[in-house]
Amino acid sequence: MAGPGATATARLRKRRRRAGWHGFLYIAPAMALVIVFFILPVIFTVWMSLHNWPLLGNPRWIGFGNYTRMVSDIRFMAALRFTAYYTVIVTIAIFAIAFPLALYVEKQRPFVGFYRTIIFLPVVVGLATASLLWVWLANVDSGFFAPVALALGLADKRPNLLADFDMAFATIIVMVVWKIAGFTMIILLTGLQAIPSELTEAARIDGAKRWQRFRHLTLPLMRRTIALALIISITGSVLAFDQFYIMTSGGPQNRMISVVYYIFNQSFVSFNLGYGAALSIALLVILVLISIVQLWLLRVGEDRP
């Protein structure tokens, strides 16, 4: 017969198994959502990418034909280059605005809560809505910017801000910075407020100037926060679609076609669903690589004292 010790051990194991099943039941709804709305669609997209999948008619197996086509697709490569160019420019612009704003609203001063609210307010506006708003603002006839530029003597006639590539690109950059900078500011503000005030005060007592405190204290302690905000900005820029579709429809001269815009055209305009699926998988791989870089940036120096 089993002794009291064996009986107690069996009861403990049974209790642990029961607790494990309880935990599984708690996470089961979330697992079901992930499986239904992410894993299964990704598997189906991979399956589609291996076929010539027209809108009408039967799909035809072509293996990796869509992926080999992708490598030689000049328009897809142009979309990749434009997306990379846009990502670099808009990320630099967002941080150039968001970081000084975070430094400004981090200090306790009169109306600082009002300033934070006003700066963050555009974030709550949907990107499609913001794009439509700026299409109206940039309209050459009934908009706001064109008559103001003419009245201030900045132009000889009302400029059409969305007709020229450089002006349209600059307009989109300004719109995105106006829309997103407040969100990035909040992330950076969180990092700034997490810095112990004792460290800043000690550096000030030791004679460190403001720039020295910022370079040798603030930036190193905000490394992980900056990395997080940077990766969020890059990921959002890689997935850019609404602003190009609504504000310029990919123009002028099809020079503003991002990767997501190109996938949309191939899938829902040309109805090359198999090729669009292959492009989507390629974009997913790019985003996974960015996520890996994000995790690496967040873990670098984690074990340092």
Side-chain angles (χ1 to χ4, degrees), residues 82-108:
F82 172 74
T83 303
Y85 174 69
Y86 166 79
T87 299
V88 171
I89 298 300
V90 77
T91 300
I92 294 175
I94 288 174
F95 270 77
I97 300 299
F99 214 134
L101 288 176
L103 292 172
Y104 179 76
V105 300
E106 190 265 339
K107 303 296 182 183
Q108 291 298 325

PDB file of all heavy atoms in Angstrom, residues 82-108:
ATOM      1  N   PHE A  82      10.448  52.964 -53.056  1.00  0.00           N
ATOM      2  CA  PHE A  82       9.694  54.129 -52.590  1.00  0.00           C
ATOM      3  C   PHE A  82       9.279  53.969 -51.134  1.00  0.00           C
ATOM      4  O   PHE A  82       9.354  54.925 -50.352  1.00  0.00           O
ATOM      5  CB  PHE A  82       8.453  54.340 -53.455  1.00  0.00           C
ATOM      6  CG  PHE A  82       7.533  55.395 -52.915  1.00  0.00           C
ATOM      7  CD1 PHE A  82       7.858  56.736 -53.015  1.00  0.00           C
ATOM      8  CD2 PHE A  82       6.354  55.039 -52.264  1.00  0.00           C
ATOM      9  CE1 PHE A  82       7.019  57.712 -52.490  1.00  0.00           C
ATOM     10  CE2 PHE A  82       5.518  56.007 -51.742  1.00  0.00           C
ATOM     11  CZ  PHE A  82       5.847  57.345 -51.858  1.00  0.00           C
ATOM     12  N   THR A  83       8.843  52.763 -50.751  1.00  0.00           N
ATOM     13  CA  THR A  83       8.446  52.526 -49.364  1.00  0.00           C
ATOM     14  C   THR A  83       9.620  52.721 -48.418  1.00  0.00           C
ATOM     15  O   THR A  83       9.467  53.310 -47.339  1.00  0.00           O
ATOM     16  CB  THR A  83       7.861  51.112 -49.216  1.00  0.00           C
ATOM     17  OG1 THR A  83       6.757  50.953 -50.109  1.00  0.00           O
ATOM     18  CG2 THR A  83       7.393  50.866 -47.788  1.00  0.00           C
ATOM     19  N   ALA A  84      10.798  52.231 -48.811  1.00  0.00           N
ATOM     20  CA  ALA A  84      11.985  52.419 -47.974  1.00  0.00           C
ATOM     21  C   ALA A  84      12.335  53.895 -47.860  1.00  0.00           C
ATOM     22  O   ALA A  84      12.659  54.394 -46.767  1.00  0.00           O
ATOM     23  CB  ALA A  84      13.163  51.637 -48.560  1.00  0.00           C
ATOM     24  N   TYR A  85      12.262  54.621 -48.975  1.00  0.00           N
ATOM     25  CA  TYR A  85      12.551  56.070 -48.966  1.00  0.00           C
ATOM     26  C   TYR A  85      11.557  56.811 -48.080  1.00  0.00           C
ATOM     27  O   TYR A  85      11.942  57.641 -47.245  1.00  0.00           O
ATOM     28  CB  TYR A  85      12.496  56.587 -50.401  1.00  0.00           C
ATOM     29  CG  TYR A  85      12.637  58.085 -50.544  1.00  0.00           C
ATOM     30  CD1 TYR A  85      13.848  58.717 -50.271  1.00  0.00           C
ATOM     31  CD2 TYR A  85      11.558  58.867 -50.969  1.00  0.00           C
ATOM     32  CE1 TYR A  85      13.971  60.096 -50.405  1.00  0.00           C
ATOM     33  CE2 TYR A  85      11.678  60.233 -51.107  1.00  0.00           C
ATOM     34  CZ  TYR A  85      12.881  60.848 -50.825  1.00  0.00           C
ATOM     35  OH  TYR A  85      13.001  62.202 -50.958  1.00  0.00           O
ATOM     36  N   TYR A  86      10.284  56.502 -48.245  1.00  0.00           N
ATOM     37  CA  TYR A  86       9.255  57.136 -47.425  1.00  0.00           C
ATOM     38  C   TYR A  86       9.456  56.817 -45.955  1.00  0.00           C
ATOM     39  O   TYR A  86       9.321  57.695 -45.090  1.00  0.00           O
ATOM     40  CB  TYR A  86       7.882  56.667 -47.896  1.00  0.00           C
ATOM     41  CG  TYR A  86       6.765  56.976 -46.932  1.00  0.00           C
ATOM     42  CD1 TYR A  86       6.210  58.250 -46.859  1.00  0.00           C
ATOM     43  CD2 TYR A  86       6.255  55.988 -46.081  1.00  0.00           C
ATOM     44  CE1 TYR A  86       5.192  58.537 -45.973  1.00  0.00           C
ATOM     45  CE2 TYR A  86       5.231  56.261 -45.198  1.00  0.00           C
ATOM     46  CZ  TYR A  86       4.698  57.538 -45.142  1.00  0.00           C
ATOM     47  OH  TYR A  86       3.697  57.823 -44.251  1.00  0.00           O
ATOM     48  N   THR A  87       9.785  55.561 -45.637  1.00  0.00           N
ATOM     49  CA  THR A  87       9.968  55.144 -44.249  1.00  0.00           C
ATOM     50  C   THR A  87      11.096  55.913 -43.585  1.00  0.00           C
ATOM     51  O   THR A  87      10.963  56.387 -42.444  1.00  0.00           O
ATOM     52  CB  THR A  87      10.247  53.632 -44.188  1.00  0.00           C
ATOM     53  OG1 THR A  87       9.131  52.919 -44.738  1.00  0.00           O
ATOM     54  CG2 THR A  87      10.482  53.178 -42.758  1.00  0.00           C
ATOM     55  N   VAL A  88      12.210  56.064 -44.281  1.00  0.00           N
ATOM     56  CA  VAL A  88      13.352  56.797 -43.717  1.00  0.00           C
ATOM     57  C   VAL A  88      12.985  58.255 -43.467  1.00  0.00           C
ATOM     58  O   VAL A  88      13.208  58.799 -42.379  1.00  0.00           O
ATOM     59  CB  VAL A  88      14.566  56.681 -44.651  1.00  0.00           C
ATOM     60  CG1 VAL A  88      15.684  57.613 -44.182  1.00  0.00           C
ATOM     61  CG2 VAL A  88      15.078  55.251 -44.705  1.00  0.00           C
ATOM     62  N   ILE A  89      12.389  58.903 -44.475  1.00  0.00           N
ATOM     63  CA  ILE A  89      12.079  60.333 -44.366  1.00  0.00           C
ATOM     64  C   ILE A  89      11.047  60.585 -43.273  1.00  0.00           C
ATOM     65  O   ILE A  89      11.218  61.464 -42.414  1.00  0.00           O
ATOM     66  CB  ILE A  89      11.583  60.884 -45.714  1.00  0.00           C
ATOM     67  CG1 ILE A  89      12.666  60.745 -46.785  1.00  0.00           C
ATOM     68  CG2 ILE A  89      11.170  62.345 -45.571  1.00  0.00           C
ATOM     69  CD1 ILE A  89      13.950  61.487 -46.482  1.00  0.00           C
ATOM     70  N   VAL A  90       9.953  59.829 -43.270  1.00  0.00           N
ATOM     71  CA  VAL A  90       8.880  60.103 -42.322  1.00  0.00           C
ATOM     72  C   VAL A  90       9.298  59.746 -40.897  1.00  0.00           C
ATOM     73  O   VAL A  90       8.896  60.429 -39.933  1.00  0.00           O
ATOM     74  CB  VAL A  90       7.590  59.363 -42.730  1.00  0.00           C
ATOM     75  CG1 VAL A  90       7.638  57.893 -42.377  1.00  0.00           C
ATOM     76  CG2 VAL A  90       6.375  60.018 -42.101  1.00  0.00           C
ATOM     77  N   THR A  91      10.119  58.711 -40.727  1.00  0.00           N
ATOM     78  CA  THR A  91      10.571  58.346 -39.382  1.00  0.00           C
ATOM     79  C   THR A  91      11.469  59.432 -38.808  1.00  0.00           C
ATOM     80  O   THR A  91      11.322  59.820 -37.636  1.00  0.00           O
ATOM     81  CB  THR A  91      11.309  56.996 -39.414  1.00  0.00           C
ATOM     82  OG1 THR A  91      10.424  55.987 -39.910  1.00  0.00           O
ATOM     83  CG2 THR A  91      11.783  56.612 -38.027  1.00  0.00           C
ATOM     84  N   ILE A  92      12.386  59.938 -39.609  1.00  0.00           N
ATOM     85  CA  ILE A  92      13.254  61.032 -39.158  1.00  0.00           C
ATOM     86  C   ILE A  92      12.415  62.255 -38.820  1.00  0.00           C
ATOM     87  O   ILE A  92      12.634  62.919 -37.785  1.00  0.00           O
ATOM     88  CB  ILE A  92      14.313  61.358 -40.221  1.00  0.00           C
ATOM     89  CG1 ILE A  92      15.282  60.186 -40.385  1.00  0.00           C
ATOM     90  CG2 ILE A  92      15.073  62.630 -39.855  1.00  0.00           C
ATOM     91  CD1 ILE A  92      16.292  60.376 -41.499  1.00  0.00           C
ATOM     92  N   ALA A  93      11.441  62.583 -39.679  1.00  0.00           N
ATOM     93  CA  ALA A  93      10.606  63.762 -39.446  1.00  0.00           C
ATOM     94  C   ALA A  93       9.782  63.619 -38.172  1.00  0.00           C
ATOM     95  O   ALA A  93       9.655  64.580 -37.389  1.00  0.00           O
ATOM     96  CB  ALA A  93       9.696  63.989 -40.655  1.00  0.00           C
ATOM     97  N   ILE A  94       9.217  62.437 -37.939  1.00  0.00           N
ATOM     98  CA  ILE A  94       8.401  62.226 -36.738  1.00  0.00           C
ATOM     99  C   ILE A  94       9.242  62.395 -35.480  1.00  0.00           C
ATOM    100  O   ILE A  94       8.835  63.073 -34.524  1.00  0.00           O
ATOM    101  CB  ILE A  94       7.746  60.833 -36.783  1.00  0.00           C
ATOM    102  CG1 ILE A  94       6.637  60.803 -37.834  1.00  0.00           C
ATOM    103  CG2 ILE A  94       7.188  60.446 -35.412  1.00  0.00           C
ATOM    104  CD1 ILE A  94       6.033  59.439 -38.052  1.00  0.00           C
ATOM    105  N   PHE A  95      10.437  61.794 -35.465  1.00  0.00           N
ATOM    106  CA  PHE A  95      11.279  61.898 -34.280  1.00  0.00           C
ATOM    107  C   PHE A  95      11.811  63.321 -34.101  1.00  0.00           C
ATOM    108  O   PHE A  95      11.989  63.775 -32.964  1.00  0.00           O
ATOM    109  CB  PHE A  95      12.444  60.906 -34.365  1.00  0.00           C
ATOM    110  CG  PHE A  95      12.127  59.568 -33.767  1.00  0.00           C
ATOM    111  CD1 PHE A  95      11.338  58.665 -34.460  1.00  0.00           C
ATOM    112  CD2 PHE A  95      12.573  59.223 -32.515  1.00  0.00           C
ATOM    113  CE1 PHE A  95      11.023  57.438 -33.916  1.00  0.00           C
ATOM    114  CE2 PHE A  95      12.265  57.992 -31.952  1.00  0.00           C
ATOM    115  CZ  PHE A  95      11.491  57.097 -32.659  1.00  0.00           C
ATOM    116  N   ALA A  96      12.070  64.017 -35.192  1.00  0.00           N
ATOM    117  CA  ALA A  96      12.562  65.397 -35.104  1.00  0.00           C
ATOM    118  C   ALA A  96      11.524  66.315 -34.464  1.00  0.00           C
ATOM    119  O   ALA A  96      11.878  67.326 -33.844  1.00  0.00           O
ATOM    120  CB  ALA A  96      12.938  65.918 -36.493  1.00  0.00           C
ATOM    121  N   ILE A  97      10.256  65.985 -34.597  1.00  0.00           N
ATOM    122  CA  ILE A  97       9.188  66.772 -33.982  1.00  0.00           C
ATOM    123  C   ILE A  97       8.794  66.208 -32.621  1.00  0.00           C
ATOM    124  O   ILE A  97       8.612  66.948 -31.639  1.00  0.00           O
ATOM    125  CB  ILE A  97       7.962  66.829 -34.909  1.00  0.00           C
ATOM    126  CG1 ILE A  97       8.317  67.483 -36.244  1.00  0.00           C
ATOM    127  CG2 ILE A  97       6.820  67.574 -34.233  1.00  0.00           C
ATOM    128  CD1 ILE A  97       8.807  68.909 -36.133  1.00  0.00           C
ATOM    129  N   ALA A  98       8.666  64.882 -32.518  1.00  0.00           N
ATOM    130  CA  ALA A  98       8.128  64.265 -31.309  1.00  0.00           C
ATOM    131  C   ALA A  98       9.084  64.376 -30.124  1.00  0.00           C
ATOM    132  O   ALA A  98       8.646  64.588 -28.990  1.00  0.00           O
ATOM    133  CB  ALA A  98       7.787  62.798 -31.574  1.00  0.00           C
ATOM    134  N   PHE A  99      10.399  64.236 -30.358  1.00  0.00           N
ATOM    135  CA  PHE A  99      11.346  64.256 -29.234  1.00  0.00           C
ATOM    136  C   PHE A  99      11.404  65.642 -28.572  1.00  0.00           C
ATOM    137  O   PHE A  99      11.296  65.738 -27.339  1.00  0.00           O
ATOM    138  CB  PHE A  99      12.736  63.828 -29.700  1.00  0.00           C
ATOM    139  CG  PHE A  99      13.487  63.056 -28.648  1.00  0.00           C
ATOM    140  CD1 PHE A  99      14.157  61.889 -28.962  1.00  0.00           C
ATOM    141  CD2 PHE A  99      13.526  63.496 -27.327  1.00  0.00           C
ATOM    142  CE1 PHE A  99      14.846  61.172 -27.993  1.00  0.00           C
ATOM    143  CE2 PHE A  99      14.212  62.796 -26.350  1.00  0.00           C
ATOM    144  CZ  PHE A  99      14.870  61.634 -26.681  1.00  0.00           C
ATOM    145  N   PRO A 100      11.553  66.733 -29.325  1.00  0.00           N
ATOM    146  CA  PRO A 100      11.502  68.051 -28.655  1.00  0.00           C
ATOM    147  C   PRO A 100      10.179  68.305 -27.952  1.00  0.00           C
ATOM    148  O   PRO A 100      10.161  68.915 -26.869  1.00  0.00           O
ATOM    149  CB  PRO A 100      11.723  69.033 -29.816  1.00  0.00           C
ATOM    150  CG  PRO A 100      12.461  68.251 -30.840  1.00  0.00           C
ATOM    151  CD  PRO A 100      11.926  66.860 -30.737  1.00  0.00           C
ATOM    152  N   LEU A 101       9.074  67.849 -28.541  1.00  0.00           N
ATOM    153  CA  LEU A 101       7.784  68.028 -27.875  1.00  0.00           C
ATOM    154  C   LEU A 101       7.731  67.244 -26.569  1.00  0.00           C
ATOM    155  O   LEU A 101       7.207  67.747 -25.560  1.00  0.00           O
ATOM    156  CB  LEU A 101       6.657  67.577 -28.801  1.00  0.00           C
ATOM    157  CG  LEU A 101       6.354  68.469 -30.008  1.00  0.00           C
ATOM    158  CD1 LEU A 101       5.283  67.831 -30.884  1.00  0.00           C
ATOM    159  CD2 LEU A 101       5.932  69.859 -29.573  1.00  0.00           C
ATOM    160  N   ALA A 102       8.260  66.025 -26.573  1.00  0.00           N
ATOM    161  CA  ALA A 102       8.277  65.229 -25.346  1.00  0.00           C
ATOM    162  C   ALA A 102       9.129  65.900 -24.279  1.00  0.00           C
ATOM    163  O   ALA A 102       8.754  65.922 -23.092  1.00  0.00           O
ATOM    164  CB  ALA A 102       8.804  63.826 -25.645  1.00  0.00           C
ATOM    165  N   LEU A 103      10.271  66.459 -24.666  1.00  0.00           N
ATOM    166  CA  LEU A 103      11.123  67.166 -23.709  1.00  0.00           C
ATOM    167  C   LEU A 103      10.417  68.399 -23.161  1.00  0.00           C
ATOM    168  O   LEU A 103      10.578  68.755 -21.982  1.00  0.00           O
ATOM    169  CB  LEU A 103      12.441  67.564 -24.375  1.00  0.00           C
ATOM    170  CG  LEU A 103      13.393  66.414 -24.744  1.00  0.00           C
ATOM    171  CD1 LEU A 103      14.556  66.943 -25.572  1.00  0.00           C
ATOM    172  CD2 LEU A 103      13.908  65.717 -23.495  1.00  0.00           C
ATOM    173  N   TYR A 104       9.616  69.046 -24.007  1.00  0.00           N
ATOM    174  CA  TYR A 104       8.947  70.268 -23.574  1.00  0.00           C
ATOM    175  C   TYR A 104       7.811  69.983 -22.600  1.00  0.00           C
ATOM    176  O   TYR A 104       7.680  70.647 -21.567  1.00  0.00           O
ATOM    177  CB  TYR A 104       8.413  71.023 -24.798  1.00  0.00           C
ATOM    178  CG  TYR A 104       7.693  72.297 -24.446  1.00  0.00           C
ATOM    179  CD1 TYR A 104       8.398  73.443 -24.080  1.00  0.00           C
ATOM    180  CD2 TYR A 104       6.302  72.352 -24.477  1.00  0.00           C
ATOM    181  CE1 TYR A 104       7.737  74.614 -23.752  1.00  0.00           C
ATOM    182  CE2 TYR A 104       5.630  73.524 -24.153  1.00  0.00           C
ATOM    183  CZ  TYR A 104       6.352  74.636 -23.791  1.00  0.00           C
ATOM    184  OH  TYR A 104       5.697  75.803 -23.456  1.00  0.00           O
ATOM    185  N   VAL A 105       6.970  68.983 -22.924  1.00  0.00           N
ATOM    186  CA  VAL A 105       5.804  68.726 -22.073  1.00  0.00           C
ATOM    187  C   VAL A 105       6.142  67.841 -20.887  1.00  0.00           C
ATOM    188  O   VAL A 105       5.282  67.589 -20.041  1.00  0.00           O
ATOM    189  CB  VAL A 105       4.673  68.078 -22.895  1.00  0.00           C
ATOM    190  CG1 VAL A 105       4.247  68.974 -24.032  1.00  0.00           C
ATOM    191  CG2 VAL A 105       5.083  66.700 -23.422  1.00  0.00           C
ATOM    192  N   GLU A 106       7.408  67.354 -20.807  1.00  0.00           N
ATOM    193  CA  GLU A 106       7.784  66.522 -19.667  1.00  0.00           C
ATOM    194  C   GLU A 106       7.925  67.345 -18.397  1.00  0.00           C
ATOM    195  O   GLU A 106       7.670  66.864 -17.293  1.00  0.00           O
ATOM    196  CB  GLU A 106       9.093  65.794 -19.985  1.00  0.00           C
ATOM    197  CG  GLU A 106       9.474  64.713 -18.989  1.00  0.00           C
ATOM    198  CD  GLU A 106      10.426  65.211 -17.914  1.00  0.00           C
ATOM    199  OE1 GLU A 106      11.090  66.229 -18.166  1.00  0.00           O
ATOM    200  OE2 GLU A 106      10.496  64.576 -16.843  1.00  0.00           O
ATOM    201  N   LYS A 107       8.317  68.599 -18.544  1.00  0.00           N
ATOM    202  CA  LYS A 107       8.488  69.474 -17.383  1.00  0.00           C
ATOM    203  C   LYS A 107       7.139  69.996 -16.908  1.00  0.00           C
ATOM    204  O   LYS A 107       6.223  70.227 -17.698  1.00  0.00           O
ATOM    205  CB  LYS A 107       9.400  70.651 -17.742  1.00  0.00           C
ATOM    206  CG  LYS A 107      10.778  70.233 -18.272  1.00  0.00           C
ATOM    207  CD  LYS A 107      11.579  69.491 -17.225  1.00  0.00           C
ATOM    208  CE  LYS A 107      12.956  69.130 -17.749  1.00  0.00           C
ATOM    209  NZ  LYS A 107      13.743  68.336 -16.761  1.00  0.00           N
ATOM    210  N   GLN A 108       7.031  70.177 -15.616  1.00  0.00           N
ATOM    211  CA  GLN A 108       5.833  70.753 -15.041  1.00  0.00           C
ATOM    212  C   GLN A 108       5.845  72.258 -15.257  1.00  0.00           C
ATOM    213  O   GLN A 108       6.718  72.962 -14.757  1.00  0.00           O
ATOM    214  CB  GLN A 108       5.734  70.418 -13.552  1.00  0.00           C
ATOM    215  CG  GLN A 108       5.460  68.959 -13.259  1.00  0.00           C
ATOM    216  CD  GLN A 108       4.134  68.494 -13.828  1.00  0.00           C
ATOM    217  OE1 GLN A 108       3.161  69.245 -13.873  1.00  0.00           O
ATOM    218  NE2 GLN A 108       4.090  67.250 -14.279  1.00  0.00           N
TER     219      GLN A 108
END
